[in-house]
């Protein structure tokens, strides 16, 4: 019995040891599992904390960027509005030449002073963006300027500016079609032409005697602040001269014109001499004047037809003097020129003094034998 009891005790002891070992191993596994789980949870929490910190930093950066962008827009608008309200005429001067104008800056400057005294109205242009901050400025409900801002050295400045203002005056000019017309710095083009292919001046000569007749065009400009200042350029070898308030014509160069001017002056002096000497040596004086024109031409016929009348006038040969001054030789066709001659003659007949102040238009044409005087008009 004692041996059996001892055997039972030994079995119980082995079972207890095994159970204790099992519990120990289980405890070790549990501890190891808890350690691994703890480490995993710690690492996970660290990642979560890092992600949260990163998200918070990103949110902070985004908030700072949004604040910076908002401040940047405020700075942009402040800079633009300050320029729009405070820029004076001298400041606008540096932007005026950006676009060719019909007028000089000095002409526009006086008109600007009144406009700049008022408050501007400002708008964002349709294509406005932070990359292209483009604005429009209105004054007195009319377009005044457009401005594009740029950021330089961390501050907003005017990059490009152009004046859009226009005046209410206009101007027109009639010139030969071959001429180039400028108003200010702008060469006028087809958009400025309102009329063309017309005679600049109706001349008293047979049209069949002319070739290459000079035709005219009318150029008009609008939106000016002052009277238009036109500049006319003639084709090479000729000059452009003003013959009336708004009409220009082609003229020979001064060296080429001299021959025609001397002939025109000689005719006028001879013609006035013929008139002033009246009934004294009338026929010879008439022939002397008529011979300076082309025989059979309208000018010749005009002079010779006066003979009968002049024979009845008094002679004013005493203290006789005559001055004649020819103007520009104007070109009306390849074979037709004219020159206006002003004259002043005085004479005395023993009882009365006579003065002849006047002007004549002398017309030269070339029908194939060289230029000669064929036309004569009293002005």
């Amino acid at each position: 019995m004692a041996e059996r009891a001892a055997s039972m005790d030994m079995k119980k002891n082995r079972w207890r040891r095994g159970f204790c070992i099992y519990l120990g191993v289980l405890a070790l596994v549990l501890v190891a599992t808890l350690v691994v789980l703890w480490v995993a949870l710690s690492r996970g929490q660290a990642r979560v904390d890092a992600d949260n910190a990163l998200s918070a930093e990103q949110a902070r950066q985004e908030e700072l960027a949004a604040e910076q962008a908002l401040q940047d827009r405020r700075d942009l608008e402040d800079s633009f509005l300050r320029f729009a309200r405070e820029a004076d005429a001298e400041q606008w001067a540096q932007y005026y030449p950006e676009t060719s104008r019909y007028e000089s800056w000095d002409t526009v400057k006086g008109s600007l002073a009144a406009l700049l005294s008022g408050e501007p109205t400002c708008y964002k242009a349709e294509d406005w963006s932070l990359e292209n901050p483009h604005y429009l400025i209105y004054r007195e409900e009319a377009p005044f300027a457009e401005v594009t801002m740029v950021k330089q050295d961390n501050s907003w400045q005017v990059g490009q500016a152009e004046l859009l203002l226009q005046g209410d005056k206009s101007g027109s000019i009639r010139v030969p079609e071959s001429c180039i017309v400028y108003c200010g710095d702008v060469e006028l083009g087809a958009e400025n032409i309102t009329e063309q292919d017309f005679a600049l001046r109706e001349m008293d000569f047979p049209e069949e005697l002319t070739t290459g007749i000079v035709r005219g065009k009318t150029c008009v400009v609008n939106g000016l602040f002052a009277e238009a200042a036109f500049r006319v350029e003639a084709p090479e070898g000729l000059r452009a001269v003003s013959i009336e308030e708004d009409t220009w014509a082609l003229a020979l160069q001064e060296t080429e014109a001299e021959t025609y001017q001397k002939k025109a002056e000689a005719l006028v002096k001879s013609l006035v001499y013929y008139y002033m000497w009246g009934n004294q040596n009338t026929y010879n004086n008439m022939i002397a004047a008529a011979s300076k024109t082309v025989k059979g031409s309208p000018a010749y016929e005009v002079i010779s037809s006066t003979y009968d009348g002049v024979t009845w006038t008094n002679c004013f040969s005493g203290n006789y003097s005559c001055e004649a001054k020819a103007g520009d030789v104007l070109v009306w066709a390849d074979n037709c020129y004219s020159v206006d001659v002003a004259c002043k003659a005085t004479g005395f007949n023993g009882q009365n003094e006579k003065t002849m102040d006047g002007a004549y238009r002398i017309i030269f044409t070339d029908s194939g034998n060289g230029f000669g005087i064929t036309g004569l008009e009293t002005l």
Side-chain angles (χ1 to χ4, degrees), residues 244-314:
E244 296 174 14
E245 182 178 357
D246 61 349
T247 303
W248 289 58
L250 296 176
L252 296 180
Q253 297 289 356
E254 293 179 356
T255 53
E256 297 179 39
E258 189 174 356
T259 299
Y260 299 94
Q261 289 169 329
K262 287 181 178 179
K263 289 182 178 181
E265 289 174 351
L267 172 60
V268 170
K269 286 182 177 180
S270 183
L271 185 62
V272 172
Y273 183 87
Y274 161 52
Y275 291 150
M276 290 288 285
W277 284 61
N279 57 19
Q280 182 175 324
N281 202 26
T282 308
Y283 181 77
N284 290 333
N285 291 340
M286 183 273 289
I287 291 299
S291 65
K292 291 178 171 56
T293 68
V294 175
K295 192 170 184 178
S297 68
Y300 186 93
E301 298 299 328
V302 166
I303 295 172
S304 60
S305 68
T306 63
Y307 173 70
D308 290 338
V310 175
T311 58
W312 292 92
T313 64
N314 292 326

Side-chain angles (χ1 to χ4, degrees), residues 157-175:
Q157 304 173 23
V158 176
Q160 291 183 335
E162 180 184 353
L163 288 173
L164 303 176
L165 73 166
Q166 289 188 335
D168 56 5
K169 292 183 173 58
S170 62
S172 67
I173 186 172
R174 289 156 44 95
V175 299

Side-chain angles (χ1 to χ4, degrees), residues 107-310:
T107 303
V108 178
K109 199 171 179 180
S111 301
L112 266 177
L115 286 175
L116 293 175
S117 63
E119 188 73 11
T121 304
C122 302
Y123 301 95
K124 291 179 180 178
E126 290 185 1
D127 60 348
W128 187 95
S129 67
L130 275 177
E131 293 72 28
N132 180 41
H134 185 195
Y135 296 91
L136 299 177
I137 301 175
Y138 279 64
R139 287 184 179 272
E140 297 184 0
E141 300 183 357
F144 176 78
E146 57 179 317
V147 176
T148 301
M149 304 292 288
V150 295
K151 195 170 187 179
Q152 294 179 345
D153 300 327
N154 253 351
S155 65
W156 287 100
Q157 304 173 23
V158 176
Q160 291 183 335
E162 180 184 353
L163 288 173
L164 303 176
L165 73 166
Q166 289 188 335
D168 56 5
K169 292 183 173 58
S170 62
S172 67
I173 186 172
R174 289 156 44 95
V175 299
E177 287 186 325
S178 58
C179 288
I180 299 174
V181 182
Y182 294 86
C183 188
D185 297 327
V186 180
E187 178 182 339
L188 304 187
E191 67 278 6
N192 299 101
I193 298 176
T194 59
E195 182 185 14
Q196 58 186 347
D197 195 25
F198 59 84
L200 282 168
R201 176 185 286 171
E202 297 296 334
M203 301 296 294
D204 186 18
F205 57 81
E207 191 167 331
E208 63 269 15
L209 292 181
T210 63
T211 59
I213 296 177
V214 175
R215 308 298 289 176
K217 63 183 177 183
T218 301
C219 297
V220 175
V221 291
N222 298 300
L224 304 179
F225 291 94
E227 297 300 322
F230 292 110
R231 179 166 56 89
V232 183
E233 287 187 3
E236 186 176 357
L238 296 172
R239 295 183 300 129
V241 296
S242 176
I243 59 173
E244 296 174 14
E245 182 178 357
D246 61 349
T247 303
W248 289 58
L250 296 176
L252 296 180
Q253 297 289 356
E254 293 179 356
T255 53
E256 297 179 39
E258 189 174 356
T259 299
Y260 299 94
Q261 289 169 329
K262 287 181 178 179
K263 289 182 178 181
E265 289 174 351
L267 172 60
V268 170
K269 286 182 177 180
S270 183
L271 185 62
V272 172
Y273 183 87
Y274 161 52
Y275 291 150
M276 290 288 285
W277 284 61
N279 57 19
Q280 182 175 324
N281 202 26
T282 308
Y283 181 77
N284 290 333
N285 291 340
M286 183 273 289
I287 291 299
S291 65
K292 291 178 171 56
T293 68
V294 175
K295 192 170 184 178
S297 68
Y300 186 93
E301 298 299 328
V302 166
I303 295 172
S304 60
S305 68
T306 63
Y307 173 70
D308 290 338
V310 175

